[in-house]
Amino acid sequence: MVLSIAALPDTIEVSVADVNVATATEAVKKEKPVRVAKKHDPKLVTAARELRDRWLDAVNTGTANVALPVGKYDVCRELDATQPAMKRLVA
């Protein structure tokens, strides 16, 4: 069966009664379950803080055998005035 464009209606009428409004609002308003805050074990929290404090003490006193990151350039180093100036190359 072939339909021509002339046979199709220009407008389609939809009434409000055709749309189920109640189910549309229920789908949008689904409540999420309330999350319960989980408590950490106080024993583990105390142990983690103790390890952190020991580590910071070791790093700050310099007793920790740690390779801290070093930048590519030493920007705080002062130049010696006794170093000879670099020779320019003639191109």
Side-chain angles (χ1 to χ4, degrees):
M1 178 171 145
V2 178
L3 292 176
S4 66
I5 296 176
L8 295 176
D10 293 335
T11 58
I12 299 174
E13 293 182 21
V14 177
S15 66
V16 179
D18 294 340
V19 179
N20 191 351
V21 178
T23 57
T25 56
E26 288 174 5
V28 173
K29 292 186 179 182
K30 286 186 181 176
E31 293 185 23
K32 295 181 182 178
V34 179
R35 289 187 182 178
V36 177
K38 295 181 182 177
K39 289 282 195 172
H40 295 289
D41 185 11
K43 196 179 193 181
L44 293 176
V45 171
T46 305
R49 287 182 179 152
E50 177 65 26
L51 285 174
R52 180 200 60 200
D53 292 341
R54 285 185 189 182
W55 171 253
L56 287 176
D57 287 342
V59 169
N60 290 334
T61 59
T63 58
N65 188 11
V66 150
L68 295 175
V70 178
K72 184 174 179 181
Y73 302 105
D74 188 8
V75 294
C76 296
R77 182 175 58 103
E78 292 184 20
L79 297 176
D80 284 334
T82 58
Q83 287 182 340
M86 296 186 71
K87 296 179 184 178
R88 293 190 172 197
L89 299 176
V90 179

mmCIF file with all atom_site columns, all heavy atoms in Angstrom, residues 3-17:
data_model
loop_
_atom_site.group_PDB
_atom_site.id
_atom_site.type_symbol
_atom_site.label_atom_id
_atom_site.label_alt_id
_atom_site.label_comp_id
_atom_site.label_asym_id
_atom_site.label_entity_id
_atom_site.label_seq_id
_atom_site.pdbx_PDB_ins_code
_atom_site.Cartn_x
_atom_site.Cartn_y
_atom_site.Cartn_z
_atom_site.occupancy
_atom_site.B_iso_or_equiv
_atom_site.pdbx_formal_charge
_atom_site.auth_seq_id
_atom_site.auth_comp_id
_atom_site.auth_asym_id
_atom_site.auth_atom_id
_atom_site.pdbx_PDB_model_num
ATOM 1   N N   . LEU A 1 3  ? 1.055  5.335  0.252  1.00 0.00 ? 3  LEU A N   1
ATOM 2   C CA  . LEU A 1 3  ? 0.314  6.525  0.653  1.00 0.00 ? 3  LEU A CA  1
ATOM 3   C C   . LEU A 1 3  ? 0.945  7.743  0.001  1.00 0.00 ? 3  LEU A C   1
ATOM 4   O O   . LEU A 1 3  ? 2.156  7.871  -0.056 1.00 0.00 ? 3  LEU A O   1
ATOM 5   C CB  . LEU A 1 3  ? 0.358  6.707  2.178  1.00 0.00 ? 3  LEU A CB  1
ATOM 6   C CG  . LEU A 1 3  ? -0.387 5.681  3.019  1.00 0.00 ? 3  LEU A CG  1
ATOM 7   C CD1 . LEU A 1 3  ? -0.152 5.961  4.490  1.00 0.00 ? 3  LEU A CD1 1
ATOM 8   C CD2 . LEU A 1 3  ? -1.867 5.727  2.722  1.00 0.00 ? 3  LEU A CD2 1
ATOM 9   N N   . SER A 1 4  ? 0.129  8.579  -0.451 1.00 0.00 ? 4  SER A N   1
ATOM 10  C CA  . SER A 1 4  ? 0.654  9.821  -1.003 1.00 0.00 ? 4  SER A CA  1
ATOM 11  C C   . SER A 1 4  ? 0.694  10.862 0.106  1.00 0.00 ? 4  SER A C   1
ATOM 12  O O   . SER A 1 4  ? 0.020  10.747 1.128  1.00 0.00 ? 4  SER A O   1
ATOM 13  C CB  . SER A 1 4  ? -0.227 10.302 -2.162 1.00 0.00 ? 4  SER A CB  1
ATOM 14  O OG  . SER A 1 4  ? -1.494 10.651 -1.673 1.00 0.00 ? 4  SER A OG  1
ATOM 15  N N   . ILE A 1 5  ? 1.468  11.889 -0.099 1.00 0.00 ? 5  ILE A N   1
ATOM 16  C CA  . ILE A 1 5  ? 1.599  12.949 0.894  1.00 0.00 ? 5  ILE A CA  1
ATOM 17  C C   . ILE A 1 5  ? 0.263  13.672 1.082  1.00 0.00 ? 5  ILE A C   1
ATOM 18  O O   . ILE A 1 5  ? -0.072 14.116 2.160  1.00 0.00 ? 5  ILE A O   1
ATOM 19  C CB  . ILE A 1 5  ? 2.708  13.938 0.477  1.00 0.00 ? 5  ILE A CB  1
ATOM 20  C CG1 . ILE A 1 5  ? 4.045  13.204 0.469  1.00 0.00 ? 5  ILE A CG1 1
ATOM 21  C CG2 . ILE A 1 5  ? 2.766  15.125 1.399  1.00 0.00 ? 5  ILE A CG2 1
ATOM 22  C CD1 . ILE A 1 5  ? 5.201  14.018 -0.002 1.00 0.00 ? 5  ILE A CD1 1
ATOM 23  N N   . ALA A 1 6  ? -0.522 13.741 0.050  1.00 0.00 ? 6  ALA A N   1
ATOM 24  C CA  . ALA A 1 6  ? -1.803 14.432 0.137  1.00 0.00 ? 6  ALA A CA  1
ATOM 25  C C   . ALA A 1 6  ? -2.766 13.695 1.065  1.00 0.00 ? 6  ALA A C   1
ATOM 26  O O   . ALA A 1 6  ? -3.659 14.300 1.651  1.00 0.00 ? 6  ALA A O   1
ATOM 27  C CB  . ALA A 1 6  ? -2.417 14.581 -1.246 1.00 0.00 ? 6  ALA A CB  1
ATOM 28  N N   . ALA A 1 7  ? -2.573 12.377 1.246  1.00 0.00 ? 7  ALA A N   1
ATOM 29  C CA  . ALA A 1 7  ? -3.480 11.610 2.077  1.00 0.00 ? 7  ALA A CA  1
ATOM 30  C C   . ALA A 1 7  ? -3.188 11.767 3.567  1.00 0.00 ? 7  ALA A C   1
ATOM 31  O O   . ALA A 1 7  ? -4.016 11.433 4.409  1.00 0.00 ? 7  ALA A O   1
ATOM 32  C CB  . ALA A 1 7  ? -3.406 10.144 1.693  1.00 0.00 ? 7  ALA A CB  1
ATOM 33  N N   . LEU A 1 8  ? -1.998 12.283 3.938  1.00 0.00 ? 8  LEU A N   1
ATOM 34  C CA  . LEU A 1 8  ? -1.644 12.455 5.342  1.00 0.00 ? 8  LEU A CA  1
ATOM 35  C C   . LEU A 1 8  ? -2.298 13.702 5.910  1.00 0.00 ? 8  LEU A C   1
ATOM 36  O O   . LEU A 1 8  ? -2.417 14.730 5.215  1.00 0.00 ? 8  LEU A O   1
ATOM 37  C CB  . LEU A 1 8  ? -0.123 12.564 5.493  1.00 0.00 ? 8  LEU A CB  1
ATOM 38  C CG  . LEU A 1 8  ? 0.661  11.314 5.119  1.00 0.00 ? 8  LEU A CG  1
ATOM 39  C CD1 . LEU A 1 8  ? 2.142  11.582 5.210  1.00 0.00 ? 8  LEU A CD1 1
ATOM 40  C CD2 . LEU A 1 8  ? 0.279  10.154 6.012  1.00 0.00 ? 8  LEU A CD2 1
ATOM 41  N N   . PRO A 1 9  ? -2.728 13.671 7.155  1.00 0.00 ? 9  PRO A N   1
ATOM 42  C CA  . PRO A 1 9  ? -3.356 14.859 7.749  1.00 0.00 ? 9  PRO A CA  1
ATOM 43  C C   . PRO A 1 9  ? -2.304 15.944 8.001  1.00 0.00 ? 9  PRO A C   1
ATOM 44  O O   . PRO A 1 9  ? -1.131 15.662 8.229  1.00 0.00 ? 9  PRO A O   1
ATOM 45  C CB  . PRO A 1 9  ? -3.935 14.337 9.059  1.00 0.00 ? 9  PRO A CB  1
ATOM 46  C CG  . PRO A 1 9  ? -3.145 13.126 9.382  1.00 0.00 ? 9  PRO A CG  1
ATOM 47  C CD  . PRO A 1 9  ? -2.720 12.542 8.072  1.00 0.00 ? 9  PRO A CD  1
ATOM 48  N N   . ASP A 1 10 ? -2.746 17.194 7.961  1.00 0.00 ? 10 ASP A N   1
ATOM 49  C CA  . ASP A 1 10 ? -1.836 18.318 8.184  1.00 0.00 ? 10 ASP A CA  1
ATOM 50  C C   . ASP A 1 10 ? -1.454 18.440 9.658  1.00 0.00 ? 10 ASP A C   1
ATOM 51  O O   . ASP A 1 10 ? -0.327 18.795 9.992  1.00 0.00 ? 10 ASP A O   1
ATOM 52  C CB  . ASP A 1 10 ? -2.489 19.623 7.712  1.00 0.00 ? 10 ASP A CB  1
ATOM 53  C CG  . ASP A 1 10 ? -2.665 19.640 6.201  1.00 0.00 ? 10 ASP A CG  1
ATOM 54  O OD1 . ASP A 1 10 ? -1.891 18.937 5.531  1.00 0.00 ? 10 ASP A OD1 1
ATOM 55  O OD2 . ASP A 1 10 ? -3.553 20.356 5.730  1.00 0.00 ? 10 ASP A OD2 1
ATOM 56  N N   . THR A 1 11 ? -2.373 18.180 10.538 1.00 0.00 ? 11 THR A N   1
ATOM 57  C CA  . THR A 1 11 ? -2.101 18.291 11.968 1.00 0.00 ? 11 THR A CA  1
ATOM 58  C C   . THR A 1 11 ? -2.579 17.037 12.677 1.00 0.00 ? 11 THR A C   1
ATOM 59  O O   . THR A 1 11 ? -3.458 16.331 12.187 1.00 0.00 ? 11 THR A O   1
ATOM 60  C CB  . THR A 1 11 ? -2.838 19.505 12.580 1.00 0.00 ? 11 THR A CB  1
ATOM 61  O OG1 . THR A 1 11 ? -4.237 19.349 12.348 1.00 0.00 ? 11 THR A OG1 1
ATOM 62  C CG2 . THR A 1 11 ? -2.354 20.801 11.971 1.00 0.00 ? 11 THR A CG2 1
ATOM 63  N N   . ILE A 1 12 ? -1.985 16.780 13.816 1.00 0.00 ? 12 ILE A N   1
ATOM 64  C CA  . ILE A 1 12 ? -2.391 15.650 14.634 1.00 0.00 ? 12 ILE A CA  1
ATOM 65  C C   . ILE A 1 12 ? -2.889 16.219 15.950 1.00 0.00 ? 12 ILE A C   1
ATOM 66  O O   . ILE A 1 12 ? -2.192 16.994 16.602 1.00 0.00 ? 12 ILE A O   1
ATOM 67  C CB  . ILE A 1 12 ? -1.223 14.684 14.874 1.00 0.00 ? 12 ILE A CB  1
ATOM 68  C CG1 . ILE A 1 12 ? -0.719 14.124 13.562 1.00 0.00 ? 12 ILE A CG1 1
ATOM 69  C CG2 . ILE A 1 12 ? -1.627 13.573 15.823 1.00 0.00 ? 12 ILE A CG2 1
ATOM 70  C CD1 . ILE A 1 12 ? 0.517  13.280 13.684 1.00 0.00 ? 12 ILE A CD1 1
ATOM 71  N N   . GLU A 1 13 ? -4.061 15.867 16.340 1.00 0.00 ? 13 GLU A N   1
ATOM 72  C CA  . GLU A 1 13 ? -4.636 16.371 17.574 1.00 0.00 ? 13 GLU A CA  1
ATOM 73  C C   . GLU A 1 13 ? -4.399 15.362 18.692 1.00 0.00 ? 13 GLU A C   1
ATOM 74  O O   . GLU A 1 13 ? -4.667 14.178 18.527 1.00 0.00 ? 13 GLU A O   1
ATOM 75  C CB  . GLU A 1 13 ? -6.131 16.623 17.402 1.00 0.00 ? 13 GLU A CB  1
ATOM 76  C CG  . GLU A 1 13 ? -6.452 17.745 16.444 1.00 0.00 ? 13 GLU A CG  1
ATOM 77  C CD  . GLU A 1 13 ? -7.944 17.995 16.346 1.00 0.00 ? 13 GLU A CD  1
ATOM 78  O OE1 . GLU A 1 13 ? -8.673 17.595 17.271 1.00 0.00 ? 13 GLU A OE1 1
ATOM 79  O OE2 . GLU A 1 13 ? -8.354 18.575 15.351 1.00 0.00 ? 13 GLU A OE2 1
ATOM 80  N N   . VAL A 1 14 ? -3.899 15.860 19.803 1.00 0.00 ? 14 VAL A N   1
ATOM 81  C CA  . VAL A 1 14 ? -3.670 15.021 20.975 1.00 0.00 ? 14 VAL A CA  1
ATOM 82  C C   . VAL A 1 14 ? -4.355 15.688 22.145 1.00 0.00 ? 14 VAL A C   1
ATOM 83  O O   . VAL A 1 14 ? -4.149 16.869 22.409 1.00 0.00 ? 14 VAL A O   1
ATOM 84  C CB  . VAL A 1 14 ? -2.156 14.884 21.267 1.00 0.00 ? 14 VAL A CB  1
ATOM 85  C CG1 . VAL A 1 14 ? -1.933 14.077 22.525 1.00 0.00 ? 14 VAL A CG1 1
ATOM 86  C CG2 . VAL A 1 14 ? -1.451 14.272 20.089 1.00 0.00 ? 14 VAL A CG2 1
ATOM 87  N N   . SER A 1 15 ? -5.140 14.949 22.845 1.00 0.00 ? 15 SER A N   1
ATOM 88  C CA  . SER A 1 15 ? -5.826 15.528 23.993 1.00 0.00 ? 15 SER A CA  1
ATOM 89  C C   . SER A 1 15 ? -5.044 15.223 25.258 1.00 0.00 ? 15 SER A C   1
ATOM 90  O O   . SER A 1 15 ? -4.238 14.290 25.310 1.00 0.00 ? 15 SER A O   1
ATOM 91  C CB  . SER A 1 15 ? -7.247 14.980 24.093 1.00 0.00 ? 15 SER A CB  1
ATOM 92  O OG  . SER A 1 15 ? -7.195 13.608 24.385 1.00 0.00 ? 15 SER A OG  1
ATOM 93  N N   . VAL A 1 16 ? -5.308 16.000 26.282 1.00 0.00 ? 16 VAL A N   1
ATOM 94  C CA  . VAL A 1 16 ? -4.627 15.824 27.560 1.00 0.00 ? 16 VAL A CA  1
ATOM 95  C C   . VAL A 1 16 ? -5.010 14.487 28.183 1.00 0.00 ? 16 VAL A C   1
ATOM 96  O O   . VAL A 1 16 ? -4.227 13.872 28.899 1.00 0.00 ? 16 VAL A O   1
ATOM 97  C CB  . VAL A 1 16 ? -4.960 16.995 28.499 1.00 0.00 ? 16 VAL A CB  1
ATOM 98  C CG1 . VAL A 1 16 ? -4.291 16.827 29.846 1.00 0.00 ? 16 VAL A CG1 1
ATOM 99  C CG2 . VAL A 1 16 ? -4.535 18.309 27.863 1.00 0.00 ? 16 VAL A CG2 1
ATOM 100 N N   . ALA A 1 17 ? -6.148 14.004 27.904 1.00 0.00 ? 17 ALA A N   1
ATOM 101 C CA  . ALA A 1 17 ? -6.609 12.737 28.471 1.00 0.00 ? 17 ALA A CA  1
ATOM 102 C C   . ALA A 1 17 ? -5.778 11.572 27.953 1.00 0.00 ? 17 ALA A C   1
ATOM 103 O O   . ALA A 1 17 ? -5.676 10.537 28.617 1.00 0.00 ? 17 ALA A O   1
ATOM 104 C CB  . ALA A 1 17 ? -8.076 12.533 28.137 1.00 0.00 ? 17 ALA A CB  1
#
